[in-house]
Amino acid sequence: MTRKQKKMLYRILAASVLFVVSLLLPVTGPAQLAVFLIPYLVIGWDVLWKAVRNIMNGQVFDENFLMCVATVGALIIGEYPEAVAVMLFYQVGELFQNVAVSRSRQSISALMDIRPDYANMERDGQLVQVDPEEVAVGGTIVIKAGERVPLDGTVLEGVSALDTAALTGESLPRDVAPGDEVISGCVNLSGLLHVRVSKPFGQSTVARILDLVENSSEKKAQAEHFITKFARYYTPIVVFAALALAVIPSLLDGRWGTWVPRALNFLVVSCPCALVISIPLSFFGGIGGASRQGILVKGSNYLEALAQAGIVVFDKTGTLTQGKFSVTAVHPEEGMAGSELLKLAALAEQFSTHPISRSIVDAWGGTLQQDRVTSVEEIAGHGVRAVIDGRQILAGNWKLMDRENIPITSDHDHLGTVIHVAVEGRYAGHLVIADQPKETSAQAVAGLKAAGVRQTVMLTGDAERTAQAVADGLKLDKYYAQLLPADKVERVEELLAEKSPKEKLVFVGDGINDAPVLSRADIGVAMGALGSDAAIEAADIVLMDDDLLKLTAAVRIARKTLSIVRQNVVFALGVKLLVLILSAAGLANMWAAVFADVGVSVLAILNASRMLNVK
């Protein structure tokens, strides 16, 4: 608890003791009023002052005004214990509310721990701590074991493991070595790292994330806007209704002692605290719970929209698949070993920077021996011709084999890119290179279906057969192949036209090449966005790593949040309406009114607080 909350707790305890003493003292008349005024003022002086101050500022109808009118009215008509009890229980509810809001803020502000306090720079042979904002791009910083990475950059020296849990929610460390990119906000677990800074602090990953989280509360959900407007009109209506309940029947039958207490009960019940606090608290808790799992939601409105997701559209490469080529099959001809075929292809391709060439070299895994290659010729659109150990090696597509009049004697029907290899004019076999689905993609698609998503769709520029194989393997409902970037926007437009009015369309991409589609969808989700400026800017929801299961978690969190919001609205309005009717009919006393106000608020806040512990 904060210092302010502790002071309030002590006031509540002191007022409670004084209230019990007041109940036990055998006093009547003016002396009784004086005795009960002591606990009343101890617990309620700040509410009275806020009401006066707000009235002076033109803000009349709020919960402070309602409490003042109700309790002062109770004192005037001689209901001294009830007046103190209403104010006491109101303050108990306020304390409970403050503690719950503090917890919800802590769940998000825990992310603020990722902000680095300093950066180490080497000056005159010594390490000096400087403000990260003072470090220029191109400068070199030193990160010791246990320290937080203060700025984005590239490792120059050192080998270590980085803890990315604060950003991604994952506990598995990430190994880095010279040449690897590191991002701010991670913790260096072991070795000493020298890093060349690539971005100023204001544009670093940690600065962008902190800005996103701090501003998330500004984008309110429709439910929050509704409650704000509801309270604005609801409060003055019930005040005038209570005034009418007190005056009109009393003028007709003269029973002021009957109708005024009923009107006061009516005022106590009408306080909209339960809704005004519990609904934002639910969304705040949902955003905080998501952030702890590496899911950054830019506002309550996006969390509310995600809860209504009916169609989820995926980009294929880098989202459903790994986004990098790998050798999936090696098919040597008779007389040629598979390892030898792979080695010859790797040696021939070692000078190329093409992703397919790099995948062949990586699959071989041996030490590159450039001295064995005496000449290399890259033939655009076909492949490479190289002389290795005095032998001419060809590695490329079927066009290269056709051009060199080398018959392909065995070409299986493969999904992916086929690289044919020939040695001294004779066909030696072929390699199959493909982009493989991520391990969690199928599980994530199934999880979305289980969470209530009606349709899953894949968009890709790949050939029809490749797209169909991926879609069938992941059990997607629909796919569109051979698409250009502009075609993807058109397909999303078609899907938006087909969906029902209550459904939302979610597009999931890598946030770099998919900005037009991300912005066109109802909700744009960028995944694998660790360190990607474009992803953080373009998307409404950011998954900080490549785990597609985070999307399933995000949908479940969103739906649970909206479910709790609906529960609180129905429960609070239902109980209040019932007790309002009973109060007007004289069937509910001040204690029932206290429960309808404070009790409902506490229960609604407790219900909303469940989002703070979401798993």
Side-chain angles (χ1 to χ4, degrees), residues 330-374:
V330 178
H331 295 282
E333 288 292 278
E334 190 175 347
M336 171 67 69
S339 57
E340 180 67 13
L341 181 71
L342 185 59
K343 181 172 76 171
L344 290 173
L347 291 173
E349 298 276 8
Q350 64 181 309
F351 300 99
S352 173
T353 59
H354 193 281
I356 289 178
S357 301
R358 303 317 307 161
S359 69
I360 294 172
V361 173
D362 291 342
W364 175 50
T367 303
L368 295 176
Q369 300 162 338
Q370 297 182 4
D371 57 330
R372 293 178 61 182
V373 184
T374 54

Side-chain angles (χ1 to χ4, degrees), residues 395-439:
N397 55 27
W398 65 270
K399 295 178 184 178
L400 180 62
M401 300 294 113
D402 187 55
R403 168 179 163 159
E404 300 296 326
N405 297 314
I406 298 172
I408 298 173
T409 53
S410 64
D411 184 6
H412 301 282
D413 191 16
H414 297 295
L415 288 171
T417 301
V418 178
I419 298 298
H420 301 280
V421 180
V423 180
E424 288 290 298
R426 184 177 178 183
Y427 189 70
H430 59 274
L431 314 175
V432 181
I433 293 121
D435 182 13
Q436 296 294 301
K438 293 176 182 176
E439 292 182 3

Side-chain angles (χ1 to χ4, degrees), residues 378-506:
E378 191 158 343
I379 306 169
H382 292 72
V384 297
R385 185 203 312 272
V387 177
I388 302 172
D389 298 333
R391 295 186 297 172
Q392 179 178 272
I393 308 296
L394 296 171
N397 55 27
W398 65 270
K399 295 178 184 178
L400 180 62
M401 300 294 113
D402 187 55
R403 168 179 163 159
E404 300 296 326
N405 297 314
I406 298 172
I408 298 173
T409 53
S410 64
D411 184 6
H412 301 282
D413 191 16
H414 297 295
L415 288 171
T417 301
V418 178
I419 298 298
H420 301 280
V421 180
V423 180
E424 288 290 298
R426 184 177 178 183
Y427 189 70
H430 59 274
L431 314 175
V432 181
I433 293 121
D435 182 13
Q436 296 294 301
K438 293 176 182 176
E439 292 182 3
T440 58
S441 291
Q443 187 181 349
V445 171
L448 289 171
K449 288 284 190 180
V453 172
R454 179 175 61 82
Q455 189 177 52
T456 53
V457 183
M458 180 182 74
L459 307 181
T460 179
D462 285 352
E464 179 78 17
R465 280 193 68 249
T466 303
Q468 183 177 0
V470 173
D472 290 346
L474 300 179
K475 294 183 171 58
L476 296 166
D477 297 312
K478 192 183 291 185
Y479 70 90
Y480 296 97
Q482 296 177 307
L483 299 177
L484 296 173
D487 297 332
K488 292 183 179 181
V489 177
E490 289 182 14
R491 292 294 177 269
V492 167
E493 293 280 4
E494 292 173 7
L495 291 166
L496 284 168
E498 293 172 6
K499 71 181 180 68
S500 70
K502 292 185 179 180
E503 282 186 328
K504 299 296 183 184
L505 184 143
V506 181

Side-chain angles (χ1 to χ4, degrees), residues 236-308:
I237 287 172
V238 296
V239 168
F240 288 116
L243 184 62
L245 180 63
V247 175
I248 295 173
S250 300
L251 292 174
L252 294 175
D253 62 14
R255 295 189 301 157
W256 293 88
T258 299
W259 294 107
V260 170
R262 292 184 186 182
L264 294 175
N265 292 352
F266 193 92
L267 276 180
V268 173
V269 177
S270 66
C271 188
C273 308
L275 297 177
V276 172
I277 293 301
S278 67
I279 290 175
L281 182 64
S282 300
F283 283 109
F284 216 63
I287 292 173
S291 70
R292 288 197 301 273
Q293 299 188 40
I295 304 165
L296 301 184
V297 184
K298 289 189 177 180
S300 302
N301 53 335
Y302 301 122
L303 195 68
E304 184 180 46
L306 187 63
Q308 300 164 26

